[in-house]
Amino acid sequence: MAPLTRQSSSLLAEGPRANPRQSSREDSWDFAGEEDRSEGSQDDSMEAMSFEIEQPTDSPGARGSKLAAALGLSWSQHGGPSQFLRYSASRAGREVEDFAECLDRMHPRKEHDPETLYDNAFKLVRSYQTIAQNTVKRLRKEHAPKRQRLLNERWRRRVQGINEEMLEDNDPDFEGGEDELGDDVLDSAITIMEELKRWEQEAQTWDLLALMLGLQYTKPGLDMAKEKTEKLKSIGEVTRYTSEEKIWERFMIEDDVAKERQTILSWLRRTAESSGKDIEIIVKQLEEGAERGKGLWAHGWLYTKEAVKAQKRLRTWPQVLDPSSPSIAKLHLNSSKNQQLVTQLDPDAITRQSRALESQDEYFERAIWLACWEMLRRGKSWNQVREWCRERVEGWRSVSMRGGQVAWDSVIDEKMGGALPRDTGLSGGPQDLLGAKISGNRSRALWRRTCFALARRGGVDPYERAVYGILSGDLPSVQTVCRTWDDLLFAHYNSLVVCQFDKYLQSNYPDRIPPALSNKFGLFDSVQYHGDSQNISRNLIDALGAHNISSQEAKQALKKIQGSIISRRFPEFVYRQGIAISKVANGVQRSKIIPMLRETGIPNQSPSGILAEEYIGHNNADALRVTVHALLIFQQLGFDISGSPELVATENVIVAYIQYLSSIDKLDLVPLYASRLSKLRSELTLGRMMLDVTEHSERERMVKLMQGLNINAEEVVKTQMGLLLTDLAREEDGNDAKAAGGMGDDKIIPQIVILEPSADPLQMGQQIRLDFITHELSQVESMLISSFEWFLAVEGMWFETFHTGARLYKRFLRRGRLTAARELLRRMPTSHISLEKTEHIIGTKVDISIDAEDSDDDEGTSANAGKSRAVRDHDGTLPSSPMQIREMREVLSAQATSYIELEKLVVALDTLQTWRLIVDEKIQDRVERREKLQDACHDVMAAVGPLLHEWLVCHSTVEEKVEFDEIRNMYLPEVILAYNSVLHYTGCTASREMLPQCLELSTLLAADDSDVLSCFIKAERLPELVDAFAQSSRATINVNGLKGGKTSEGKRRAGNGETLAIWRVKPFQEISQLHGW
């Protein structure tokens, strides 16, 4: 036989054409938001994720949820989540938690022994496979009737020659027409084909992964060379009497490539058996299609036989009908009267006479070969197929397969090994040899070549040729009947294994296949056909993606995963997924959690050649789950890309799954998967994802989960704050650019305006604005405060907490974001922080915002200090004596000074606005109004008083001094003028004793040690202060001239004993009379 030439255009011969399936879903899981990304935005890899150069934030606006906006998840124009997220969240079942539970149970942190980690990795794979198999069983039980009807219809169409793809996509009956399937077909298709089939594929995927990992990774401490030597020794040397099964065993041990291909072939057989229909049900259905009752298979070509008998009875011929007879040629026709029937019933009659069978018998012929093909495809032994044929009195078919029977000689084989040979996949099982003395074929080289000749030139049905093609390792004859990706892969690997074994025999045991035999009887050279022996699996998987039969199926997520595992390109597949995820996440707007990956040498461009559509998570979150857990298993077995440029893209896949968990409210599982990321990526991801946890108890629980997974919770909360501060800076920069007309990058510091003009003579021409703290709280500001609350959930971190809080106050105040500052005061006052944290630090709850002399904490501290569960102070010992406690308290107070001082300003601003609200209240009762104004005024005095001397003058760095001076100059002049206005108005309307406070204020500011007057000078507002004090002085003098202005000296005094009596000036006439002038 002339050598075959390898096709250069494609590895796969074209099979039956199938109409491509159209994807029914167009929605995608898009991480980007609605707004366009700015053209000048910079991109980077992992560095772009650190909070110093964080991606731009979403602009504030209405979002479906705070978390979605923070992560950059896409939302529809109607304000709800995308269809995919809704669909995924609704169907995310127990399997998500089951997978996480298994992963946590086998987490590498719990074991460090390499052998244990290796074993746990495989246990993990099998656990995942068990979860999938259990789900398959449940779904099959729930949808058994619908699934059965659908499979019945499929088999009926297949036997009739109707393409399976056409049935599912193009046949109107499948959509619920007038066919026997009825109106529930569409529901059946969705339930069974999308759900059950997907779970079947997932179970198969985990099985495949376990098999391939066992081939790719060797157990630590195992010497494979020694293991092979011992196995070969146990088999024994090959002699002329050694059966082909023994040689096959040696072949599998010596040739690792062949062993891998045989492993994949065995897996393909199991997948066909596990997901296909039961053979007995198929037989029953074929009986019905062939129009013969149960048990009538034994009658062979029943309808053609009756036609032949009818012609004999008509002519009373005892002999065989003569096909050359004109009457026979004219009258011996099939039921349709369009074809001549055979006149004899031997197996070769159809080809020898070039005549046909009755349609029912043609169906029977196809059906029986189809059943044979299906059994071989599922890995049934040749003997099982042969026995099935014998039961139906199709002995000639069993004879043709007898050459594949396992060889066994009770004398030779018992002396050489004493054990029955194993089922190799190329022969019948050992159970067929029990009780036999001599059986089977010891050398099947000639038999395989005979089968090859039948596959190429014999038979009248494609399935008949395909059966012989499987037996001989032929490829084109088998491809003809393939309908799926699995079928095509099976055809190729079966052909490769058979050919490889034949070449092994020729090379190592030439006496088994003499040259004369191989030259006279050819065999399909699959190895030569596929070429490039190093990359056959890669090229084959790629070719399946382009083949007209399997191209649509190859696009399915789980098929992509299976293909990557088979071709040993799973890490590359994950990397490409990471690139695709990055493109999806940054397609419209820059994502805050998935960085844009830059292609080397081309600024601002993602790596080319990988499309966003490759992302499997678009339509299948379950496939994303499989990918992530398979990746984690690879990592546990030694796959390590830390420090590699591929790290960011690879980890994108895990981060995408973390986002999915968050979207379905499985935040408890997020730390588990984040712990499998690199340290920086883990902290960045958790920093973003934990923003949606708002309850303090939940935050504490999440911190414990992180700590249990060896995640530094302190770094997470600090990183989270850094990320959000960067977001806020970018948001403010964008607002500044708009306010400045887009010119320059200088920060715009707003002018704080508390006062506004007033026509009321009692207000000195100006009053406190009603809305000076009414700016809308932005989304990022709210998230910043929420992030700051996370500091309470982590024990310790005293300095970091107050330092971060002071940083927030400074940013809010310098930008004039008074609403944000007041919200920070409301949610995180010093007293609350102190009471939460001091118990862990010094053994009891202490409020450092209260002076030590006024506090009763020391006694409780001394009593409870010994009960603290850890040492917290700076030198590693728990403070126990009152002296140590006081010293520790002083240290804590000093570290919180900046936060406390800034908090005082916000308290003052809040009380000023509260006072203005009381002024505007419509209170009819004058006494009640006066009392409310007096109380509000005292609150203002208590709040503003701490700002009047040495406020915000202590600093730790030069930069902080500049910031503090800026805040003092911005706020003190306006606050003091507003304070004076409050005193003046209250003194004129509610309590005249408040007027001396205005004069006391002027005295305080004019004192030599005053540090406030300089703020007025720097702000160029000293004239306003002088004018305000002048008006207050006049009011103090004039108030005694008002009706009812007389008061008894000393009767009504201010807090420090001040009285208006000194300012009571009598007219000149009274003075003259008094002194006798």
Side-chain angles (χ1 to χ4, degrees), residues 223-361:
D223 188 343
M224 288 303 298
K226 182 179 179 180
E227 186 82 5
K228 283 186 177 182
T229 302
E230 292 178 354
K231 288 182 178 180
L232 291 173
K233 184 178 179 180
S234 65
I235 294 174
E237 296 297 328
V238 177
T239 67
R240 60 179 295 185
Y241 301 108
T242 303
S243 67
E244 208 168 88
E245 277 64 46
K246 292 291 183 180
I247 300 177
W248 170 265
E249 291 182 23
R250 298 185 66 89
F251 172 57
M252 287 290 106
I253 296 172
E254 294 176 359
D255 195 324
D256 292 334
V257 176
K259 181 180 180 181
E260 179 176 323
R261 290 172 180 168
Q262 177 60 23
T263 299
I264 295 172
L265 195 60
S266 299
W267 171 76
L268 288 168
R269 291 183 177 120
R270 287 198 302 274
T271 61
E273 177 67 16
S274 63
S275 59
K277 198 173 180 180
D278 185 75
I279 292 294
E280 293 303 318
I281 297 177
I282 294 174
V283 171
K284 179 180 178 181
Q285 193 170 346
L286 294 177
E287 288 176 347
E288 297 173 356
E291 297 185 17
R292 57 194 71 204
K294 185 175 182 179
L296 294 182
W297 284 89
H299 293 270
W301 296 339
L302 181 61
Y303 292 88
T304 304
K305 183 190 299 184
E306 290 300 320
V308 170
K309 288 183 178 180
Q311 291 296 328
K312 286 187 175 183
R313 285 194 297 268
L314 182 63
R315 294 170 176 77
T316 63
W317 285 356
Q319 70 275 15
V320 176
L321 295 179
D322 183 6
S324 61
S325 170
S327 61
I328 293 297
K330 182 178 180 180
L331 299 177
H332 191 44
L333 304 176
N334 62 3
S335 301
S336 301
K337 306 301 181 183
N338 56 4
Q339 286 183 306
Q340 294 179 338
L341 293 176
V342 296
T343 60
Q344 296 174 334
L345 300 178
D346 61 280
D348 295 327
I350 301 173
T351 54
R352 185 179 66 255
Q353 296 182 352
S354 299
R355 289 174 175 249
L357 301 175
E358 283 286 6
S359 60
Q360 296 91 336
D361 294 329

Side-chain angles (χ1 to χ4, degrees), residues 755-769 915-916 919-920 929 933 977-978 980-986 988-989 1027-1028 1031-1032 1035:
L755 298 171
E756 64 181 359
S758 173
D760 188 347
L762 300 178
Q763 294 276 13
M764 299 189 304
Q766 56 184 359
Q767 62 182 357
I768 296 176
R769 293 173 54 199
W915 182 87
R916 171 56 201 273
V919 169
D920 286 356
R929 176 177 173 80
L933 282 175
L977 288 172
N980 184 72
S981 174
V982 170
L983 295 175
H984 180 94
Y985 183 82
T986 306
C988 294
T989 60
D1027 182 63
Q1031 293 189 55
S1032 297

Side-chain angles (χ1 to χ4, degrees), residues 830-842:
T830 301
S831 59
H832 179 53
I833 299 174
S834 178
L835 292 172
E836 283 288 337
K837 287 193 169 291
T838 50
E839 183 177 19
H840 180 70
I841 297 173
I842 60 178

Side-chain angles (χ1 to χ4, degrees), residues 499-518:
C499 177
Q500 201 170 347
F501 181 60
D502 197 78
K503 288 182 177 293
Y504 175 82
L505 291 175
Q506 293 184 51
S507 175
N508 294 277
Y509 311 102
D511 58 313
R512 299 277 174 155
I513 307 179
L517 174 63
S518 59

Side-chain angles (χ1 to χ4, degrees), residues 712-719 721-722 725 784 787-810 824 828 833 837 840-841 872 891-892 894-899 960:
N712 191 330
E714 294 184 14
E715 291 299 322
V716 170
V717 297
K718 289 192 290 186
T719 300
M721 179 59 66
L725 283 172
L784 271 171
S787 176
F788 185 46
E789 290 176 320
W790 269 94
F791 282 73
L792 292 182
V794 184
E795 294 178 345
M797 296 188 72
W798 177 272
F799 172 78
E800 292 85 353
T801 301
F802 283 101
H803 176 75
T804 302
R807 187 179 180 186
L808 290 181
Y809 267 135
K810 287 186 290 185
L824 178 58
M828 292 289 283
I833 299 174
K837 287 193 169 291
H840 180 70
I841 297 173
R872 303 303 177 207
V891 171
L892 297 178
Q895 292 179 349
T897 298
S898 296
Y899 187 85
E960 189 174 60

Side-chain angles (χ1 to χ4, degrees), residues 347-348 365 369 372-373 376 382 389 394-403 447-478 481 494 498 523-524:
D348 295 327
E365 185 70 12
W369 283 118
C372 292
W373 147 265
L376 295 180
W382 309 147
C389 294
E394 295 292 322
W396 66 273
R397 302 178 204 266
S398 62
V399 170
S400 67
M401 297 180 190
R402 187 170 183 176
W447 171 76
R448 283 194 291 271
R449 283 161 171 76
T450 305
C451 290
F452 174 68
L454 288 172
R456 287 300 180 90
R457 296 184 294 274
V460 294
D461 187 84
Y463 284 102
E464 179 182 0
R465 291 188 289 270
V467 167
Y468 291 116
I470 291 178
L471 301 177
S472 64
D474 186 35
L475 178 60
S477 60
V478 180
V481 299
N494 179 75
V498 173
L523 196 66
F524 180 73

